[in-house]
C-alpha cells in the first residue's frame, strides 16, 4: 500500500503477565519526530483461547500521502543476525548494541538506547589530572560532565547534575551546574558542600566554565574514588536525576516497547519527551521540584516526579502512603500512578506521581526507593497498595518495618465473584466474620465455620487471603495508624476523572495541573474555614473546648461525634491492681450489644481501648472518653492530640523533633517549611505596590534580627 509500520503498544494478562494483545502502527503515528504526522492508522491483534492471534481493531485511514504504487515498494523483511526468540512472549531479542545506528537522520535500533559520546580511558586519565579553571572550553555539556567526573574521581569525590537555566526567548539551556554529590541536605549523606562547576553556552556554540568553587567541607577519598574508566551511559541519568543532564541534545528515544533484558515498557517515547520538557520548566519555577527516571540496560523506563509542595506535605503527612495504581483495572493507554497521603483536614494530598513502565518487582522497588529518597528517607507507618506479589515484595524490601495494607478493589472483585456463586447468605456470613470479629479466636472460629458451611475449604483464593489476613482484615489492620482511611471502601482517586489511564498525551499536563490546583484550592478553603470559623460546643465538657481550640474543623467534628456518643455508654470497673485498672464499656440497653475494654494506668495517664480507634485514626474513641468522665479527667493528655491533626500542622512547629533520625533530615524539613511559608508570603507581597513595600520592610527587619549582614 506504500507506508511503513512500527511496533506500538502491548497489553499483558493480569493473571500470568503474558502478552494478550499488541498494536502495529503506521510509522508516522505520533508527533515526537518532525517526520511524523500523528497518523491514526493501526492494526491490533489479540490472543484468543485457541492460541491464535486475531485482529480485533483495525483503522485503515491515513492522514498523509502513501508511496506511489508504481515505485514497486518492496515489503521484504531483512534477516536479523544472531537473533533469539523468547518462548514466553514470542518476541525476537536482538543482540546488545552499544550505539544507536542512524539511517536518513533517524534511529533504526528498536530499543530506545541512549547514545552518549564516550571518551577513551587514556583520554580520561589525561583529563583527570587537569585542574578545572574559569574560561575552560568544552564542545558540549556531556564533554564537560565527563571531564569533571574524571577530575572528581581523581581527587576523591563524586559529582551529580545540579541546577540548569533556560533562555526566556527560546527555552534553550543557557547554563548548567555540576555539583559535589554531598551538596545540599536532602539526604543524610549530604553535608551542604559548596563545591561546583558551572558552564555557560557561548554564541559560538561552545560551553565555557564561568563559575567554579573548588573547596569542599568534607574529607576526600582519592584511593576510593580513583576510577578514571569511561563513564557508563546510564550513570548520567541514574545518579540523583532530580536535576539530571537529560535533554534532546543528548539522547534520543525510539518508540518501541521491546527492551533488552526481558522487561517490557508500557510508556510511549513521546511521553518521555513531553514530560522531560515539562519537568525542566517546573524546576526553573520551583527549586524543590524533584524528578527521576529509571534506566535499565540503557533504556528509559519508569518516571517519578514531585513538586516542592508535595515534598513538604510528605514531611507532615507522609506517615500514611496510598500507592494508587487503579489504572490497572482496565486496558490503559497511560500507566499513571499517584502516591497520596491524608492531610490535617482528612483530604487526600499528593505526595508524588509516576508513570510505571511495567508491573515487575524492579519497577515498583525503584518507584518506592525513589519516593523515599525524594522525601528525606522517612518511612511511612503504613502503605496501602495492591496485593500483587511484585508489589508485596517491593514494599517489604523498601519499607521493612512498614505495615502493608491491601487496596480493596482487587479484594472486592473476588468477593463479588464468590457472592454471585454462593448467594446472599454467604455475603451476610462473610461480612460478619470479616468486619465484626473483635479477637483472633473470634475471627478464626467464624472463618472456619464459613468454609465448612459453604464447602470452600479448597478454595485457593480464600486460602491465600487467610494467610495474608494481617494485610486486609479490619481487626488486624486497625492496630496500625492509617489516618482513618475507611476499612470498607477504597480511597477516592486524587485526580478523579480528570487524569486516568485513558488521558491522551496532548491533554495530560493541562489536566494534571488543573486537577492538582483543584485539590489544593480545596485545602486552602479548609485552611480558611478552620482559621475563621468555629463549631458550636454541644456539651460543657472542658475536653470539648480544648479540642475545638487545637483540632482542624474536620478532625474536631470526628472528636465531637465521639464525645456526644459516649453519653450513650456505661462503664464498669472490672479490674484494679496498683495504678492499673480496666473498665468494661458497653452501650446502654441490651447487654449483648457492642462491648469494649478500656485499660488505664494512673502512674503515667496512659489509656487504650480494645476498639483501637486511636491507634488507627489518631482520635480518642467514645469508650475512652466515657472513662475520662468516670475518672473526672478534664483535659486530653497532650500525647493523645496528634500534631498532624492540629490547626498548626503546616505552620513549621515540630513538637516531635526527637523522632527525626538525623540533623540533615531536620534541616531539610526546616528548609521546606520556610520555603512553603515564603512562597505564600511572596504571593501576598506581590499583589500590589503597597503590599510589596510593606513585605520588603518586614523582610529587612527580619534580616536584621537574623543577622544577614554581619
Amino acid at each position: 500500500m506504500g507506508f511503513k509500520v512500527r511496533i506500538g503498544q502491548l497489553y499483558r494478562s493480569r493473571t500470568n503477565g503474558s502478552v494478550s494483545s499488541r498494536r502495529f502502527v503506521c510509522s508516522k503515528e505520533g508527533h515526537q519526530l518532525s517526520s511524523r504526522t500523528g497518523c491514526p492508522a493501526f492494526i491490533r491483534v489479540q490472543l484468543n483461547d485457541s492460541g491464535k492471534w486475531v485482529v480485533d481493531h483495525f483503522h485503515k485511514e491515513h492522514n498523509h500521502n502513501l508511496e506511489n504504487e508504481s515505485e514497486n515498494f518492496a515489503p521484504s523483511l531483512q534477516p536479523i543476525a544472531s537473533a533469539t526468540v523468547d518462548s514466553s512472549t514470542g518476541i525476537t531479542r536482538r543482540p546488545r548494541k552499544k550505539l544507536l545506528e542512524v539511517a536518513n537522520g533517524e534511529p533504526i535500533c528498536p530499543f530506545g538506547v541512549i547514545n552518549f559520546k564516550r571518551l577513551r580511558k587514556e583520554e580520561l586519565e589525561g583529563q583527570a589530572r587537569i585542574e578545572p579553571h574559569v574560561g575552560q572550553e568544552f564542545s558540549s555539556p556531556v564533554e564537560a560532565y565527563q571531564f569533571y567526573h574524571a577530575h572528581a574521581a581523581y581527587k576523591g569525590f563524586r559529582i551529580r547534575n545540579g541546577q540548569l537555566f533556560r533562555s526566556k526567548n527560546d527555552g534553550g539551556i543557557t547554563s548548567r551546574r555540576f555539583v559535589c554529590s554531598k551538596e545540599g541536605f536532602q539526604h543524610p549523606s549530604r553535608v551542604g558542600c559548596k563545591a561546583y562547576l558551572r558552564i555557560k553556552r557561548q554564541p559560538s556554540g561552545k560551553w565555557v566554565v564561568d563559575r567554579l568553587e573548588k573547596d569542599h567541607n568534607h574529607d576526600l577519598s582519592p584511593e576510593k574514588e580513583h576510577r578514571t574508566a569511561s563513564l557508563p551511559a546510564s550513570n548520567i541519568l541514574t545518579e540523583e536525576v532530580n536535576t539530571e543532564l537529560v535533554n534532546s541534545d543528548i539522547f534520543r528515544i525510539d518508540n518501541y516497547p521491546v527492551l533488552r533484558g526481558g522487561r517490557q515498557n508500557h510508556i510511549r517515547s513521546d511521553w518521555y519527551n513531553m514530560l522531560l520538557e515539562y519537568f525542566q520548566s517546573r524546576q526553573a519555577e520551583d527549586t524543590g521540584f524533584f524528578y527521576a527516571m529509571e534506566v535499565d540496560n540503557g533504556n528509559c523506563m519508569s518516571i517519578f516526579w514531585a513538586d516542592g509542595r508535595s515534598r513538604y506535605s510528605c514531611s507532615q503527612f507522609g506517615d500514611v502512603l496510598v500507592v494508587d495504581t487503579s489504572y490497572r483495572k482496565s486496558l490503559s493507554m497511560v500507566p499513571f500512578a499517584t502516591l497520596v497521603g491524608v492531610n490535617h483536614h482528612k483530604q487526600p494530598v499528593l505526595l508524588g506521581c509516576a508513570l510505571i513502565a511495567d508491573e515487575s518487582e524492579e519497577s515498583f522497588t525503584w518507584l518506592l526507593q525513589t519516593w523515599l529518597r525524594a522525601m528525606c528517607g522517612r518511612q511511612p507507618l503504613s502503605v496501602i497498595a495492591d496485593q500483587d506479589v511484585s508489589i508485596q515484595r517491593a514494599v517489604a524490601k523498601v519499607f521493612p518495618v512498614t505495615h502493608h495494607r491491601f487496596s480493596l478493589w482487587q479484594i472486592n472483585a473476588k468477593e463479588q465473584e464468590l457472592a454471585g456463586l454462593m448467594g446472599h447468605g454467604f455475603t451476610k456470613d462473610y461480612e460478619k466474620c470479616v468486619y465484626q470479629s473483635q479477637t483472633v479466636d473470634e475471627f478464626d472460629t467464624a472463618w472456619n465455620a464459613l468454609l465448612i458451611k459453604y464447602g470452600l475449604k479448597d478454595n485457593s483464593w480464600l486460602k491465600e487471603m487467610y494467610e495474608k489476613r494481617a494485610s486486609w482484615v479490619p481487626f488486624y489492620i486497625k492496630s496500625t495508624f492509617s489516618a482513618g482511611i475507611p476499612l470498607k471502601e477504597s480511597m477516592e482517586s486524587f485526580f478523579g476523572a480528570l487524569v486516568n489511564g485513558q488521558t491522551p498525551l496532548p491533554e495530560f499536563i493541562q489536566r494534571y495541573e488543573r486537577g492538582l490546583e483543584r485539590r489544593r484550592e480545596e485545602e486552602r478553603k479548609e485552611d480558611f474555614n478552620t482559621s475563621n470559623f468555629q463549631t458550636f460546643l454541644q456539651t460543657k465538657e472542658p475536653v470539648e473546648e480544648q479540642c475545638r481550640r487545637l483540632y482542624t474543623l474536620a478532625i474536631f467534628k470526628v472528636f465531637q461525634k465521639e464525645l456526644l456518643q459516649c453519653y450513650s455508654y456505661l462503664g464498669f470497673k472490672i479490674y484494679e491492681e496498683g495504678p492499673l485498672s480496666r473498665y468494661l464499656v458497653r452501650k446502654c440497653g441490651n447487654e449483648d450489644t457492642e462491648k469494649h475494654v478500656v485499660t488505664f494506668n494512673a502512674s503515667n495517664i496512659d489509656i487504650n481501648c480494645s476498639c483501637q480507634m486511636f491507634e488507627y485514626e489518631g482520635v480518642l474513641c467514645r469508650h475512652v472518653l466515657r472513662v475520662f468522665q468516670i475518672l473526672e479527667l478534664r483535659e486530653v493528655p497532650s500525647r493523645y492530640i496528634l500534631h498532624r491533626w492540629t490547626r498548626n500542622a503546616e505552620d513549621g512547629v515540630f513538637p516531635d523533633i526527637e523522632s527525626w533520625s538525623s540533623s540533615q533530615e531536620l534541616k531539610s524539613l526546616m528548609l521546606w517549611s520556610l520555603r512553603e511559608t515564603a512562597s505564600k508570603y511572596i504571593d501576598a507581597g506581590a499583589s500590589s505596590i503597597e503590599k510589596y513595600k510593606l513585605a520588603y520592610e518586614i523582610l529587612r527587619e527580619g534580616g536584621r534580627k537574623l543577622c544577614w549582614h554581619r
Side-chain angles (χ1 to χ4, degrees):
M1 297 299 294
F3 65 95
K4 296 180 181 180
V5 301
R6 53 190 172 82
I7 301 172
Q9 198 167 12
L10 60 81
Y11 303 93
R12 289 183 170 275
S13 165
R14 301 296 182 204
T15 54
N16 59 17
S18 62
V19 177
S20 57
S21 68
R22 63 164 71 244
R23 285 160 48 108
F24 303 101
V25 301
C26 174
S27 63
K28 293 184 180 293
E29 183 262 358
H31 296 279
Q32 56 269 45
L33 296 177
S34 58
S35 61
R36 298 184 184 172
T37 62
C39 180
F42 77 95
I43 184 172
R44 191 176 84 170
V45 292
Q46 187 162 12
L47 184 66
N48 64 17
D49 295 337
S50 66
K52 299 284 188 180
W53 291 83
V54 178
V55 175
D56 68 333
H57 280 77
F58 179 37
H59 189 95
K60 233 173 142 175
E61 303 302 323
H62 297 257
N63 66 355
H64 56 91
N65 295 327
L66 304 184
E67 297 284 342
N68 194 309
E69 293 180 15
S70 63
E71 293 179 7
N72 192 23
F73 184 82
S76 60
L77 296 176
Q78 298 297 324
I80 302 173
S82 306
T84 59
V85 177
D86 187 325
S87 59
S88 63
T89 61
I91 298 171
T92 303
R93 306 290 182 202
R94 300 190 185 183
R96 217 173 142 163
K97 296 188 179 181
K98 291 185 178 179
L99 300 176
L100 277 173
E101 297 177 47
V102 178
N104 298 324
E106 291 198 20
I108 61 173
C109 173
F111 298 122
V113 181
I114 300 170
N115 179 8
F116 285 93
K117 179 182 176 182
R118 297 169 182 259
L119 297 178
R120 293 191 303 273
K121 181 176 180 180
E122 56 270 20
E123 290 175 318
L124 282 169
E125 287 177 343
Q127 288 197 6
R129 290 168 173 79
I130 299 174
E131 284 289 328
H133 57 274
V134 173
Q136 189 173 3
E137 282 193 358
F138 300 97
S139 60
S140 70
V142 176
E143 183 182 336
Y145 183 94
Q146 289 177 320
F147 163 78
Y148 197 40
H149 175 271
H151 171 76
Y154 180 74
K155 290 291 187 180
F157 65 98
R158 296 183 182 183
I159 67 167
R160 55 188 173 84
N161 300 284
Q163 200 169 13
L164 58 82
F165 302 90
R166 290 181 172 274
S167 166
K168 292 182 179 179
N169 298 323
D170 59 7
I173 296 173
T174 58
S175 66
R176 60 166 76 241
R177 284 160 47 108
F178 306 117
V179 301
C180 173
S181 64
K182 294 185 179 290
E183 180 264 356
F185 297 95
Q186 301 95 315
H187 190 274
S189 64
R190 299 185 186 172
V191 295
C193 181
K194 300 295 185 182
Y196 75 95
L197 178 147
R198 194 178 86 163
I199 55 174
K200 190 171 184 179
R201 189 178 63 190
Q202 304 300 303
S204 64
K206 296 282 187 180
W207 293 78
V208 175
V209 176
D210 70 328
R211 293 187 185 178
L212 177 65
E213 175 58 59
K214 293 185 179 182
D215 295 332
H216 298 257
N217 66 351
H218 55 91
D219 295 333
L220 306 184
S221 307
E223 66 281 355
K224 180 180 177 182
E225 304 294 343
H226 190 57
R227 303 183 311 263
T228 54
S230 175
L231 178 65
S234 61
N235 279 12
I236 299 180
L237 287 175
T238 58
E239 189 172 24
E240 286 300 319
V241 285
N242 60 320
T243 50
E244 68 275 55
L245 183 62
V246 284
N247 60 56
S248 57
D249 295 328
I250 299 174
F251 69 90
R252 297 278 298 278
I253 311 169
D254 205 1
N255 197 44
Y256 291 82
V258 185
L259 305 177
R260 295 174 296 177
R263 290 179 62 187
Q264 298 294 324
N265 189 349
H266 301 308
I267 305 171
R268 296 175 62 85
S269 64
D270 43 359
W271 283 83
Y272 292 106
N273 299 328
M274 178 197 71
L275 286 175
L276 288 173
E277 286 184 14
Y278 172 69
F279 295 159
Q280 290 172 352
S281 67
R282 288 290 291 116
Q283 260 184 354
E285 304 164 3
D286 178 3
T287 56
F289 192 91
F290 177 101
Y291 69 98
M293 182 188 296
E294 179 191 17
V295 178
D296 179 59
N297 248 346
N299 302 295
C300 298
M301 298 292 284
S302 300
I303 308 173
F304 170 84
W305 71 95
D307 64 9
R309 174 68 180 169
S310 291
R311 298 178 74 188
Y312 176 66
S313 295
C314 188
S315 68
Q316 304 292 345
F317 310 120
D319 44 9
V320 176
L321 177 65
V322 180
V323 183
D324 183 358
T325 54
S326 53
Y327 71 87
R328 303 166 65 239
K329 294 180 183 179
S330 59
L331 286 177
S332 299
M333 296 174 63
V334 188
F336 177 62
T338 56
L339 294 93
V340 179
V342 178
N343 70 10
H344 54 328
H345 303 299
K346 297 203 79 171
Q347 298 169 316
V349 58
L350 191 66
L351 304 181
C353 294
L355 294 187
I356 301 178
D358 63 0
E359 295 173 10
S360 65
E361 180 182 339
E362 291 89 343
S363 278
F364 288 114
T365 298
W366 176 87
L367 171 63
L368 297 180
Q369 287 174 337
T370 304
W371 179 85
L372 191 63
R373 191 178 78 222
M375 306 303 176
C376 265
R378 293 198 83 194
Q379 298 203 6
L381 299 174
S382 59
V383 171
I384 301 176
D386 293 346
Q387 66 187 83
D388 300 54
V389 174
S390 58
I391 297 179
Q392 289 186 52
R393 288 175 177 169
V395 171
K397 184 183 296 183
V398 182
F399 304 133
V401 297
T402 298
H403 183 263
H404 179 189
R405 170 179 159 185
F406 292 159
S407 303
L408 286 180
W409 68 273
Q410 291 171 312
I411 297 175
N412 289 342
K414 280 291 187 179
E415 289 173 346
Q416 291 170 12
E417 184 181 320
L418 273 175
L421 294 172
M422 299 290 118
H424 179 70
F426 170 81
T427 302
K428 187 177 178 181
D429 291 341
Y430 176 84
E431 289 184 349
K432 183 179 179 181
C433 167
V434 172
Y435 295 107
Q436 296 182 23
S437 297
Q438 299 294 329
T439 66
V440 173
D441 289 340
E442 273 186 39
F443 175 76
D444 287 344
T445 301
W447 185 266
N448 290 326
L450 185 77
L451 299 183
I452 293 170
K453 181 177 179 179
Y454 294 96
L456 295 170
K457 277 190 170 184
D458 296 325
N459 185 286
S460 58
W461 181 74
L462 289 175
K463 283 182 179 179
E464 178 187 352
M465 295 311 291
Y466 180 77
E467 292 174 2
K468 301 289 185 181
R469 58 193 179 279
S471 293
W472 68 280
V473 175
F475 168 72
Y476 291 94
I477 63 180
K478 284 181 74 173
S479 61
T480 304
F481 183 73
S482 296
I485 294 174
L487 297 168
K488 292 186 179 183
E489 57 191 70
S490 298
M491 189 173 178
E492 63 176 317
S493 169
F494 184 85
F495 288 98
L498 268 177
V499 181
N500 53 47
Q502 304 299 325
T503 303
L505 172 63
E507 300 174 23
F508 180 82
I509 295 297
Q510 182 183 11
R511 289 195 189 186
Y512 162 79
E513 291 192 329
R514 195 168 19 142
L516 185 56
E517 178 56 29
R518 183 193 67 184
R519 287 291 192 184
R520 289 179 175 170
E521 178 60 27
E522 290 171 358
E523 182 176 351
R524 287 191 289 269
K525 286 180 181 178
E526 278 301 308
D527 286 338
F528 178 84
N529 291 339
T530 293
S531 299
N532 294 278
F533 300 106
Q534 283 190 332
T535 305
F536 287 111
L537 297 177
Q538 300 194 36
T539 74
K540 295 183 180 180
E541 300 284 351
V543 294
E544 187 180 19
E545 171 59 35
Q546 176 198 8
C547 290
R548 182 177 71 168
R549 187 175 68 253
L550 296 174
Y551 283 142
T552 61
L553 285 180
I555 301 304
F556 177 68
K557 288 176 182 177
V558 175
F559 175 84
Q560 190 177 55
K561 178 183 176 182
E562 294 300 309
L563 181 62
L564 294 175
Q565 286 292 328
C566 83
Y567 291 104
S568 302
Y569 285 75
L570 299 173
F572 307 93
K573 186 182 287 186
I574 58 175
Y575 174 85
E576 184 172 15
E577 183 177 343
L580 193 68
S581 56
R582 289 195 182 95
Y583 293 82
L584 178 67
V585 182
R586 66 173 178 81
K587 198 164 187 178
C588 299
N590 192 336
E591 292 190 5
D592 293 332
T593 57
E594 171 194 352
K595 298 177 184 178
H596 287 284
V597 175
V598 175
T599 303
F600 176 71
N601 190 330
S603 64
N604 56 4
I605 318 297
D606 186 61
I607 194 163
N608 62 76
C609 179
S610 60
C611 79
Q612 298 183 309
M613 178 175 173
F614 180 76
E615 288 78 4
Y616 175 74
E617 193 163 354
V619 178
L620 289 177
C621 64
R622 60 195 66 177
H623 318 109
V624 166
L625 295 174
R626 184 70 188 101
V627 173
F628 273 13
Q629 291 173 345
I630 295 171
L631 296 170
E632 297 184 351
L633 289 174
R634 303 296 183 187
E635 195 172 82
V636 176
S638 59
R639 75 171 71 109
Y640 298 111
I641 303 286
L642 296 190
H643 177 67
R644 65 147 10 258
W645 291 138
T646 62
R647 292 166 176 260
N648 63 351
E650 292 187 310
D651 289 349
V653 180
F654 313 130
D656 56 343
I657 288 177
E658 298 79 10
S659 69
W660 291 84
S661 59
S662 69
S663 59
Q664 286 89 349
E665 284 186 8
L666 183 58
K667 183 157 187 175
S668 294
L669 177 61
M670 291 189 291
L671 284 171
W672 289 342
S673 177
L674 289 171
R675 281 175 184 161
E676 186 62 27
T677 305
S679 176
K680 295 176 183 177
Y681 182 88
I682 291 167
D683 289 342
S687 59
S688 69
I689 292 293
E690 292 75 17
K691 288 184 178 180
Y692 165 78
K693 291 178 179 178
L694 176 61
Y696 195 80
E697 282 303 314
I698 295 172
L699 275 178
R700 289 187 64 179
E701 178 60 28
R704 283 192 288 269
K705 291 181 179 180
L706 290 173
C707 302
W708 282 352
H709 309 294
R710 288 186 178 179

